[in-house]
Amino acid sequence: MYATVFSLIVINKAGGLIYNRSFHEGGLNKISTNDYLVLAGTFHGVHAITARLNPVKLVPPVNPPGGGNLPHRPEAPSGLEVLETENFRMQCFNTMTGTKFLLFTDTTQANVDVTLRRIYDLYADYVMKNPFYSLEMPIRCDIFDRKLLSYIREINNR
């Protein structure tokens, strides 16, 4: 068995680390909590800059039912979404509220976007619906941890 999902990091909209979890002992090298904090802040800044560098693509005009044309609008910028090295891939899922989910996987892992979407669904179901969770604060939710770990084990045992 070779684990394909190594680690998950969740960054709030201000660039603060609110969750990190490793899923495989032999996966990525261990880094300190301070390094995770630096990684979160650095990625947040790089993501913001790359979103501004994104080429502008014009969307065709919209013809509303009453007639006339609405002006062209550029697509929303996405920023850095995937970083791939020889040893791992980091993929980012950026939510509408600015929360970023960074998933570190093996370079051969398929359907990472589907995995990230499922992780986001678990977050929405078990963190955001938790009445004791404060927005933008560190995630401390046992049921989210259990469901996430169960899901990642299912992927890693394929």
Side-chain angles (χ1 to χ4, degrees):
M1 176 191 82
Y2 186 76
T4 55
V5 177
F6 298 127
S7 167
L8 172 70
I9 295 176
V10 182
I11 304 170
N12 68 17
K13 66 181 175 185
L17 178 70
I18 59 173
Y19 187 84
N20 70 294
R21 179 82 188 253
S22 293
F23 301 107
H24 189 263
E25 290 298 317
L28 302 175
N29 288 331
K30 298 278 186 217
I31 62 174
S32 70
T33 302
N34 191 49
D35 288 338
Y36 276 113
L37 293 168
V38 171
L39 175 62
T42 302
F43 182 82
H44 179 73
V46 169
H47 188 272
I49 291 167
T50 57
R52 291 193 330 209
L53 291 173
N54 194 31
V56 176
K57 296 177 186 173
L58 295 179
V59 176
V62 178
N63 295 320
N69 284 338
L70 296 177
H72 291 284
R73 292 181 314 175
E75 287 182 6
S78 63
L80 179 64
E81 291 181 4
V82 178
L83 176 94
E84 190 166 323
T85 72
E86 291 178 9
N87 303 314
F88 71 91
R89 176 189 304 139
M90 178 195 72
Q91 188 153 336
C92 175
F93 174 68
N94 190 23
T95 68
M96 295 295 284
T97 60
T99 301
K100 294 168 190 65
F101 291 77
L102 302 181
L103 194 65
F104 294 82
T105 67
D106 182 66
T107 56
T108 60
Q109 173 68 23
N111 301 321
V112 177
D113 52 337
V114 173
T115 302
L116 275 166
R117 187 64 187 189
R118 177 69 181 129
I119 291 170
Y120 175 71
D121 289 344
L122 292 171
Y123 167 80
D125 287 343
Y126 299 107
V127 176
M128 296 308 294
K129 293 178 184 176
N130 180 345
F132 301 107
Y133 177 68
S134 298
L135 289 175
E136 305 299 316
M137 297 305 290
I139 297 169
R140 308 232 188 290
C141 182
D142 290 339
I143 192 164
F144 173 69
D145 282 334
R146 286 193 308 272
K147 296 288 186 178
L148 177 63
L149 186 56
S150 173
Y151 176 60
I152 298 300
R153 279 184 181 152
E154 178 184 314
I155 291 170
N156 286 346
N157 288 330
R158 287 182 192 162

